[in-house]
Amino acid sequence: MMRSKLIVAALAGLLGAAAMAGARTPNPPAKICINNRCTTPLPVGGQGKIKWNPGHYMASDGIMYPGRGVGQFMNELKDLNYDNIIGYRVFTTWGALETAQDQYDFSALDGVLQYLKTHYDKPKHLVVAILPASFGTNLGSNDGRVIPLYIQTNSAYGPSPTPGRYGWWGASSNGKSTSAYSAALWRPAVMNRFIKLMQAMGAHYNNEPYFEAVMFQEDSGPPGAAVANPKAGDYSVSAMVTQYQSMLSAMVGAFPNTSVVFENTWGVNNTPATQDLEVWMVQHRIAPGSADVLGQSAFDYKDNHIYLNFGMAAYLGMGTTGTPYGGGDLRDQSRAMLDVEPSDMAGTYFSRWGGPFSTADLLNALNQTYKASHAFWTHLVGTEWAPGNTTVNASNPDAVWSKVAPYINSHPLTNTSYPPNYPDPQ
């Protein structure tokens, strides 16, 4: 499913221009320590100071919740034995990784990574997207699948819309969560806990050569759910922006040799604020991401109402739906790492712009317009739902992995040089 569309109605003021001017990217620490375990950053040299393995990746269509491991993803992993599809992107939740306060469990991710390194003709690389929010599902009783229970049971993390629970926000009725929800990341106490998770991950994975990137998935999804109507009373745009920048700066410090990706998409439908954040990201070596891509045919049509989220509009130096963009083109300064989602390949969501798009059309756009270095192609078997009350097989049977994979295996991405905004590899 196209996850961003599940909770688009929950969007509210996430970004603001006021806090866009940020401090310089921090120097990486001499050591990264968590739970009395310390590692040192990888030495400069080789392919670059930041691990750099661009190309096509499979993207999982599932989420790693607590108690799930490599077996959940085996059907996908068995389909990955293509030499030129070089890795795998997986979603996992905060609750799956921090089982109790300051107790981190990376065993499931370790299992996936070990499989990627040992079960193919060439070892594969891992990209991990961390979710602090749900995709449409409501928060159940004693439910720590997404947000750790120690957050939800401690008043220090601020109120929730339900009695006796804390540290999150989302739609509710009669004291119960009714839809998508998210950790209240605009609150420093909550964000500080999420940052500690990022630091723990950095200590565990930064020195792993096959751990390619860590991603925060879409600010108009998680934590867009966190400011659903009615909004939390303590929410403010400036607080959210400040916490985003604190998080991203901390992630760069915790992963000094690893790419950090942020899917800066719609924000609060505040175009300048979202675009300003995109510029800040590139200045601080955060790789631009996005939840959806268009085919090149949509760009060639030159429709001035083309669908682009505000962050991507800034990255590409062009306007979005009915809105011009006066800033510069960021493609010569950075590299984009982009999702190809089911709604890009199947269904009716993008029919206004010529979708669903063929694999070849999407790849042409990734190379010609987006100039992406990494592409994460969702693994589909054909029975998945697609917009328009249809399935993938019914709307575009060529979107299934068995047809997508051979094509992208023989047609590479072309904008794969080391990013100019990354540290000098020499």
Side-chain angles (χ1 to χ4, degrees):
M1 67 189 75
M2 186 169 59
R3 298 174 173 90
S4 61
K5 308 307 177 292
L6 288 174
I7 52 179
V8 70
L11 297 181
L14 292 180
L15 305 174
M20 287 303 136
R24 296 176 61 187
T25 303
N27 292 324
K31 288 186 176 182
I32 308 170
C33 299
I34 194 73
N35 294 343
N36 297 317
R37 175 183 174 183
C38 297
T39 63
T40 55
L42 291 167
V44 175
Q47 290 185 313
K49 187 173 182 181
I50 308 298
K51 288 168 283 185
W52 188 245
N53 298 280
H56 296 301
Y57 287 65
M58 177 196 287
S60 176
D61 195 41
I63 298 174
M64 184 179 286
Y65 290 108
R68 297 182 179 180
V70 65
Q72 175 195 359
F73 303 99
M74 196 58 65
N75 288 339
E76 295 177 345
L77 292 170
K78 288 180 178 178
D79 282 348
L80 193 50
N81 199 14
Y82 293 84
D83 284 351
N84 297 321
I85 301 175
I86 64 169
Y88 184 62
R89 201 283 313 281
V90 65
F91 283 117
T92 187
T93 66
W94 183 357
L97 300 181
E98 189 175 13
T99 56
Q101 186 166 350
D102 293 321
Q103 295 181 22
Y104 302 102
D105 183 0
F106 302 127
S107 59
L109 288 178
D110 288 346
V112 173
L113 181 58
Q114 182 64 17
Y115 192 97
L116 293 173
K117 292 165 61 175
T118 58
H119 282 72
Y120 306 100
D121 296 335
K122 296 179 181 179
K124 306 294 186 183
H125 302 269
L126 178 64
V127 174
V128 176
I130 316 297
L131 304 176
S134 72
F135 284 125
T137 57
N138 65 297
L139 179 63
S141 176
N142 202 39
D143 182 354
R145 292 175 302 164
V146 176
I147 304 171
L149 286 174
Y150 80 86
I151 296 282
Q152 299 180 46
T153 55
N154 189 334
S155 62
Y157 299 108
S160 81
T162 65
R165 290 288 166 168
Y166 308 96
W168 66 274
W169 208 263
S172 65
S173 178
N174 298 320
K176 294 184 179 180
S177 167
T178 57
S179 186
Y181 62 93
S182 172
L185 295 179
W186 64 89
R187 298 172 185 163
V190 179
M191 180 60 90
N192 287 344
R193 295 307 313 172
F194 190 77
I195 285 173
K196 284 185 176 292
L197 170 63
M198 295 298 98
Q199 292 170 332
M201 288 194 69
H204 193 76
Y205 288 117
N206 179 70
N207 280 22
E208 166 55 60
Y210 289 96
F211 189 95
E212 176 73 358
V214 60
M215 176 189 293
F216 188 93
Q217 201 274 342
E218 201 174 5
D219 57 359
S220 70
V227 287
N229 287 326
K231 299 180 182 66
D234 63 344
Y235 176 84
S236 74
V237 171
S238 61
M240 188 73 259
V241 173
T242 297
Q243 294 310 314
Y244 269 149
Q245 293 182 325
S246 294
M247 176 192 74
L248 292 170
S249 295
M251 289 172 73
V252 168
F255 288 93
N257 309 104
T258 305
S259 290
V260 175
V261 189
F262 188 74
E263 292 189 342
N264 175 37
T265 54
W266 296 105
V268 280
N269 288 331
N270 183 318
T271 311
T274 310
Q275 292 172 339
D276 286 346
L277 181 58
E278 196 86 355
V279 175
W280 183 93
M281 287 163 48
V282 170
Q283 292 172 343
H284 292 76
R285 78 99 165 150
I286 311 298
S290 185
D292 294 294
V293 299
L294 297 172
Q296 186 60 35
S297 60
F299 293 100
D300 292 344
Y301 184 62
K302 300 186 185 304
D303 184 340
N304 62 4
H305 294 288
I306 197 167
Y307 173 100
L308 279 176
N309 66 65
F310 303 145
M312 271 291 102
Y315 176 71
L316 300 176
M318 61 182 66
T320 184
T321 306
T323 305
Y325 176 62
D329 189 337
L330 301 175
R331 287 173 290 183
D332 62 349
Q333 302 175 42
S334 185
R335 299 287 179 265
M337 303 185 184
L338 304 180
D339 288 351
V340 182
E341 294 204 343
S343 292
D344 311 343
M345 298 185 282
T348 60
Y349 192 86
F350 291 110
S351 59
R352 168 66 178 81
W353 297 274
F357 304 104
S358 70
T359 303
D361 199 6
L362 290 164
L363 181 56
N364 285 340
L366 289 167
N367 283 333
Q368 297 176 37
T369 297
Y370 293 103
K371 298 185 178 179
S373 61
H374 295 60
F376 310 119
W377 297 80
T378 302
H379 178 279
L380 299 172
V381 298
T383 57
E384 297 87 353
W385 174 87
N389 195 28
T390 185
T391 65
V392 171
N393 272 337
S395 59
N396 183 14
D398 290 335
V400 298
W401 182 255
S402 61
K403 295 185 178 180
V404 170
Y407 187 86
I408 61 176
N409 186 63
S410 59
H411 293 79
L413 295 174
T414 57
N415 297 278
T416 56
S417 60
Y418 191 71
N421 65 333
Y422 274 19
D424 189 342
Q426 302 301 320

